[in-house]
């Protein structure tokens, strides 16, 4: 039996299975905790996906987000000399309840000026959408997550990533009437 309930997600609510939401919460692979991000004074206050509603899995994907910075981060001593500017990363995490297979979709540098106090917009485009290879075998009817993170490399070799801000949206993956794989973002504003 599938148990649905509402869970607060950012500034809205998402309707999805309790098991999937627990998997999303447990599966966040961030180096830092939510409390550490809040201490930095950064938050993704808007996370929008185009197209809205159901579409082909491999349909082009556009992401728009607003980053609110209350105080500029002090990363001295944490950021590696080898590290480039902070990076926006968009990942598709398939089958969040079981396999949690992550696929990088795109990344883009974050201008240092975007870390100054205020509201900053970012837009990422994935022309090829989500590849079918992003789904593990048997996950054609499952829940996934689109995960947008702002990260900076840390440590002497820049091998570790420190999450400055993040937003996640639940995606329903299933076969459409035509037999092709479809994705549908569960809208947190509904």
């Amino acid at each position: 039996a599938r148990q649905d309930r509402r869970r607060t997600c950012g500034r809205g609510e998402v309707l999805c299975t309790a098991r999937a939401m627990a998997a999303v919460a447990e599966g966040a692979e961030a180096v830092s905790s939510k409390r550490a991000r809040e201490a930095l004074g950064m938050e993704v206050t808007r996370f929008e996906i185009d197209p809205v509603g159901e579409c082909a899995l491999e349909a082009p994907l556009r992401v728009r987000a607003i980053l609110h910075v209350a105080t500029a981060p002090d990363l001295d001593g944490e950021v590696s000399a080898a590290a480039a500017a902070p990076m926006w990363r968009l990942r598709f995490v398939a089958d969040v309840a079981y396999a949690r297979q992550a696929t990088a979709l795109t990344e883009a540098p974050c201008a240092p000026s975007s870390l100054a106090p205020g509201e900053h917009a970012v837009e990422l485009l994935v022309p090829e959408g989500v590849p079918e290879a992003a789904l593990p075998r048997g996950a054609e009817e499952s829940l996934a997550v689109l995960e947008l993170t702002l990260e900076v490399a840390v440590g002497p070799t820049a091998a570790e990533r420190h999450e400055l801000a993040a937003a996640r949206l639940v995606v329903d993956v299933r076969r459409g009437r035509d037999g092709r794989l479809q994705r549908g973002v569960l809208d947190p504003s509904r």
Side-chain angles (χ1 to χ4, degrees):
R2 193 170 159 161
Q3 178 187 10
D4 291 333
R5 68 178 187 197
R6 291 201 175 266
R7 299 282 298 248
T8 301
C9 179
R11 297 196 182 278
E13 290 184 336
V14 177
L15 178 66
C16 58
T17 66
R19 179 174 173 80
M21 284 311 290
V24 170
E26 291 170 10
E29 298 173 6
V31 173
S32 63
S33 68
K34 181 179 178 188
R35 182 169 289 157
R37 285 193 308 275
E38 288 170 353
L40 284 173
M42 291 188 180
E43 180 183 12
V44 176
T45 57
R46 177 176 282 157
F47 184 23
E48 300 174 345
I49 304 295
D50 243 354
V52 175
E54 291 186 7
C55 63
L57 185 66
E58 63 279 344
L61 175 66
R62 180 183 312 269
V63 172
R64 290 182 207 90
I66 301 294
L67 176 68
H68 174 77
V69 180
T71 57
D74 179 15
L75 299 174
D76 291 338
E78 290 186 38
V79 178
S80 165
M87 297 291 288
W88 284 104
R89 297 179 184 273
L90 182 65
R91 297 184 332 155
F92 179 81
V93 183
D95 193 16
V96 294
Y98 299 103
R100 297 183 190 159
Q101 179 175 310
T103 302
L105 298 178
T106 192
E107 62 181 41
C110 174
S113 62
S114 293
L115 299 180
E119 300 277 323
H120 307 280
V122 62
E123 185 170 307
L124 301 173
L125 180 63
V126 184
E128 62 281 351
V130 177
E132 276 195 43
L135 292 175
R137 186 179 172 131
E140 291 84 14
E141 302 274 331
S142 64
L143 291 177
V145 171
L146 277 171
E147 177 181 73
L148 177 68
T149 58
L150 176 59
E151 301 174 356
V152 65
V154 296
T157 63
E160 292 182 50
R161 307 291 303 172
H162 180 77
E163 186 178 282
L164 300 176
R168 293 168 181 88
L169 288 177
V170 178
V171 179
D172 186 21
V173 178
R174 64 183 61 239
R175 292 225 176 256
R177 291 185 184 136
D178 60 0
R180 296 179 58 206
L181 287 172
Q182 305 255 322
R183 69 172 192 255
V185 174
L186 299 179
D187 187 353
S189 64
R190 291 184 189 179

